[in-house]
Amino acid sequence: MSKRQVLVVDDEPKMQRILEIMLHKMGHDVLLAADGQEALKLAQSVPIDLVMTDLRMPGMDGVALLTALREHGIEAPVIVLTAHGTVESAVAAMKNGAYDYILRPFDVDAVEIVIRRALALERVQRENQFLREEVEKGWGEFIGRSAAMQQQYEFIRHVANSSTSVLILGESGTGKELAARAIHRASPRREALFVPINCAAIPPDLLESELFGHSKGAFTGAFKERVGKFEMADGGTIFLDEVTEMRPPLQAKLLRVLQEKEVERLGSNRSISIDIRVIAASNQDVRRALQQGTLREDLFYRLNVFTITMPPLRDRVEDVPLLADYFIEKYAVKLGRGRPTISTAALTHLQSYAWPGNVRELENVIERALVLGQGEQIDTRHLPPEIVSAAEPLASLAAPAPAQRLALIPAVEHLEKMLLSQALQQVAGNKAKAARLLDISERTLWYKIKKYGLS
Ligand SMILES: Nc1ncnc2c1ncn2[C@@H]1O[C@H](COP(=O)(O)OP(=O)(O)OP(=O)(O)O)[C@@H](O)[C@H]1O
Ligand SMILES: [Mg+2]
């Protein structure tokens, strides 16, 4: 086993000495403390893999130390040592979360085994935590662990198993296409094609033949036969992006395809049966599109079997640091240079900006910052002026939705959430430190973290 750092806490120098020699012989580093207070201070300043503590000590005893360590987020296993005849107190320590106890005087070989086991456990715990943190960055290609995003991951996993049509709504750049691809990849159709088609990018006259294909000579310019996107997506998924841009007559035809599961190429009267899943997306207000007649109601109800709404980035500011980090890494690799850090000031600006272009806009801002700044740190001066000037934290409160502009409670919650996630970010998630920074109790911090679904 590799070298580990063990904290030995005992008020008797002789006992400290015995354990120190033993641990050195096992190849570990040893830190010594004479009481609980001193031990706690040490454990807060250096990483500790294992704590071995006497139970009865003047001042803070072993059980109190154990409790204090956990309160400070220090999860290293704790072995308590106690004199024969005081087994009850050892049992009490176990109930409080001690890993094991050793009765004194002890047998060196037996103690070695206990230490080895405790350190092995510690490693497993640490690996689990690492894996958990990796997972918690996001899901699949998604970065973001806000409650709002976790809800979307859940919806995606849930809907992926069926072949129901899905309508994905959300502002521009919120990850609608990413969600559509994730549904396809998580579905039993993953081996077949995911065929995206952007209804806004193809001239309306061409869209129909793009979707349905055509036979040779079907219309002027149809020089050869062409397979449509529906056929290509057979067995897989077709993604109709910006579906409200499709002309209503074509929408009616699309509806027929969905109902009859058959297509006919233009200029041919042979129908081909197809098995496709349709995912449609729009960044428009669909209710309005329905009222204005740009989206047919019958098609809407057919598509709207399951709706996923991707949350705007400003409603999940706690994901901004993770996303920024992810894009910094992505573009550092792409530009073939070292990975810069980002200053707290710059991050504050990013977290208080309203992001009308959502994740895509953030990605562009980070890419630009990396191109502009050749140094080791991204700072405010590498950010576009609209972000820096808009980011007076209080000014950005008006950003969320025009209708909410004067609503005090959402505005205050928005600010509170932002400050909390900033503080947590600054201290790398250490709750005790974050509470101190915010000048609130840890209990209050816990409550608020829960309330806002922060991590
Ligand atoms: N949660 C996320 N994690 C990582 N990258 C993301 C996330 N959301 C979006 N992106 C990235 O942001 C960009 C925009 O995403 P996407 O194209 O899916 O958005 P969209 O909602 O379809 O936007 P539009 O309405 O403008 O078409 C892509 O490069 C995508 O990879
Ligand atoms: Mg898109």
Side-chain angles (χ1 to χ4, degrees):
M1 183 176 289
S2 59
K3 185 170 183 155
R4 313 299 281 282
Q5 188 125 277
V6 182
L7 173 60
V8 170
V9 194
D10 207 306
D11 55 328
E12 288 170 51
K14 208 175 94 197
M15 202 55 218
Q16 283 189 345
R17 190 77 197 124
I18 295 172
L19 288 169
E20 188 179 21
I21 291 169
M22 206 178 105
L23 286 158
H24 276 161
K25 248 182 43 203
M26 290 176 75
H28 301 304
D29 279 339
V30 179
L31 289 164
L32 296 173
D35 59 47
Q37 280 299 348
E38 196 186 335
L40 183 60
K41 226 182 266 158
L42 269 172
Q44 282 178 277
S45 54
V46 285
I48 300 289
D49 301 309
L50 172 67
V51 178
M52 299 185 72
T53 180
D54 190 10
L55 260 190
R56 226 181 306 161
M57 293 180 293
M60 185 190 276
D61 68 7
V63 175
L65 170 61
L66 175 61
T67 312
L69 287 171
R70 298 300 182 249
E71 269 170 10
H72 287 79
I74 298 160
E75 300 295 337
V78 173
I79 298 174
V80 297
L81 292 101
T82 190
H84 269 296
T86 57
V87 184
E88 295 76 22
S89 53
V91 172
M94 298 283 289
K95 281 193 182 140
N96 275 289
Y99 170 73
D100 208 343
Y101 66 89
I102 292 167
L103 295 179
R104 291 196 316 224
F106 52 73
D107 169 64
V108 174
D109 292 340
V111 171
E112 269 198 34
I113 291 172
V114 174
I115 293 172
R116 257 202 204 104
R117 269 214 316 258
L119 285 171
L121 168 86
E122 192 273 339
R123 198 170 71 209
V124 170
Q125 271 175 353
R126 194 162 35 180
E127 281 167 2
N128 277 344
Q129 186 181 353
F130 172 75
L131 290 176
R132 210 160 45 229
E133 279 168 6
E134 279 295 292
V135 169
E136 281 173 357
K137 272 189 203 153
W139 179 70
E141 280 178 63
F142 284 105
I143 301 294
R145 57 182 174 203
S146 56
M149 285 306 283
Q150 303 214 17
Q151 178 74 77
Q152 308 315 315
Y153 307 153
E154 195 51 45
F155 285 153
I156 289 172
R157 280 192 289 260
H158 174 79
V159 79
N161 290 318
S162 68
S163 270
T164 7
S165 303
V166 183
L167 180 62
I168 305 177
L169 302 176
E171 292 175 16
S172 171
T174 46
K176 295 185 295 295
E177 180 155 355
L178 215 56
R181 288 179 190 275
I183 292 171
H184 174 73
R185 257 203 324 274
S187 79
R189 299 172 170 269
R190 68 180 77 86
E191 301 297 334
L193 291 183
F194 174 87
V195 180
I197 181 156
N198 186 338
C199 305
I202 295 171
D205 298 340
L206 297 183
L207 188 55
E208 186 172 1
S209 83
E210 193 65 35
L211 285 171
F212 288 83
H214 56 75
S215 55
K216 192 172 160 187
F219 50 86
T220 343
F223 299 117
K224 38 178 198 197
E225 197 173 41
R226 181 185 179 130
V227 177
K229 294 272 158 93
F230 282 131
E231 278 179 68
M232 275 185 210
D234 190 24
T237 306
I238 190 160
F239 176 52
L240 301 170
D241 205 358
E242 312 286 356
V243 70
T244 57
E245 299 299 309
M246 196 185 273
R247 285 180 179 168
L250 189 53
Q251 289 181 22
K253 253 190 115 176
L254 166 62
L255 183 63
R256 273 202 301 282
V257 173
L258 295 182
Q259 279 161 349
E260 285 153 24
K261 302 185 181 351
E262 282 181 353
V263 287
E264 270 169 36
R265 292 187 190 166
L266 304 186
S268 139
N269 46 22
R270 185 171 63 92
S271 54
I272 303 161
S273 70
I274 49 162
D275 163 32
I276 51 171
R277 159 181 249 172
V278 175
I279 302 179
S282 172
N283 57 19
Q284 301 294 310
D285 178 344
V286 278
R287 297 281 157 197
R288 208 159 79 211
L290 285 170
Q291 273 163 19
Q292 293 174 342
T294 49
L295 179 61
R296 285 183 62 117
E297 209 162 330
D298 47 8
L299 177 65
F300 171 72
Y301 287 113
R302 183 83 200 186
L303 293 175
N304 197 30
V305 181
F306 198 96
T307 305
I308 290 179
T309 305
M310 298 306 288
L313 186 54
R314 68 182 157 280
D315 287 353
R316 48 186 191 99
V317 285
E318 65 270 37
D319 285 340
V320 167
L322 280 175
L323 282 160
D325 233 40
Y326 169 77
F327 291 129
I328 289 171
E329 161 113 58
K330 174 172 167 183
Y331 286 101
V333 170
K334 194 167 159 193
L335 297 167
R337 46 178 281 209
R339 182 189 167 145
T341 56
I342 181 162
S343 74
T344 313
L347 203 57
T348 305
H349 284 299
L350 296 184
Q351 280 192 288
S352 30
Y353 181 59
W355 299 111
N358 295 291
V359 182
R360 182 181 295 110
E361 188 182 5
L362 174 61
E363 178 166 3
N364 293 340
V365 165
I366 297 288
E367 181 179 12
R368 176 182 180 277
L370 257 81
V371 171
L372 272 182
Q374 298 295 330
E376 310 227 297
Q377 189 170 59
I378 296 175
D379 202 4
T380 309
R381 66 179 190 284
H382 304 123
L383 302 179
E386 68 270 19
I387 288 178
V388 178
S389 57
E392 292 300 323
L394 286 168
S396 77
L397 287 177
Q404 285 183 3
R405 252 178 212 180
L406 289 176
L408 184 63
I409 290 165
V412 169
E413 288 187 338
H414 179 72
L415 180 64
E416 190 169 74
K417 197 167 156 186
M418 203 174 80
L419 292 172
L420 286 168
S421 59
Q422 262 168 35
L424 285 166
Q425 168 79 14
Q426 260 181 43
V427 297
N430 183 319
K431 312 264 179 343
K433 286 189 190 155
R436 244 173 286 141
L437 205 61
L438 293 160
D439 202 13
I440 55 176
S441 70
E442 273 189 68
R443 186 185 290 266
T444 307
L445 179 65
W446 273 109
Y447 165 76
K448 288 185 188 299
I449 286 174
K450 252 216 170 116
K451 173 175 168 192
Y452 296 120
L454 304 170
S455 52

